[in-house]
């Protein structure tokens, strides 16, 4: 079954790290597209999101692929609000 809004971004979080969750179903779909296009880069992105999400609010996975996220420090959850393989106009 495909991921949807509110689902945890796999793999499971480690103790002391943040939990990553999808803020929208579109973000889950974009994450899957990125994962299929650049698996190792998405793994590195997940490590940053789960370990130090307060560093930045956008992660460049590939030349065009991006993940946007919003940390919730009170709950130690980082919400993936958008993800995609194409170069986003928002970064131009």
């Amino acid at each position: 079954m495909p991921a949807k809004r509110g689902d945890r971004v796999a793999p499971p979080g480690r103790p002391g790290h943040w939990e990553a969750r999808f803020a929208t179903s579109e973000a889950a779909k974009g994450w899957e597209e990125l994962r299929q296009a650049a698996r190792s880069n998405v793994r590195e992105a997940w490590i940053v999101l789960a370990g130090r999400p307060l560093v930045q609010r956008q992660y460049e996975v590939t030349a065009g692929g991006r993940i946007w996220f919003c940390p919730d420090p009170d709950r130690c959850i980082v919400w993936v609000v958008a993800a995609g393989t194409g170069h986003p106009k928002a970064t131009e």
Side-chain angles (χ1 to χ4, degrees):
M1 176 174 14
K4 61 187 181 309
R5 180 181 181 270
D7 283 354
R8 184 176 35 81
V9 177
R14 296 182 353 221
H17 281 75
W18 289 57
E19 183 176 294
R21 290 190 173 267
F22 296 114
T24 65
S25 294
E26 292 80 18
K29 181 181 177 186
W31 181 279
E32 181 59 24
E33 290 170 359
L34 275 171
R35 191 185 64 76
Q36 290 178 13
R39 183 178 298 270
S40 64
N41 292 9
V42 170
R43 172 73 176 150
E44 288 298 317
W46 181 86
I47 289 169
V48 169
L49 268 63
R52 22 181 229 282
L54 298 175
V55 174
Q56 59 190 43
R57 301 303 193 272
Q58 182 186 127
Y59 190 89
E60 182 177 331
V61 178
T62 65
R66 304 285 194 284
I67 297 168
W68 286 267
F69 58 95
C70 180
D72 179 352
D74 295 333
R75 296 170 55 195
C76 286
I77 293 175
V78 58
W79 292 98
V80 175
V81 296
T85 56
H87 192 279
K89 292 184 185 257
T91 62
E92 293 178 348

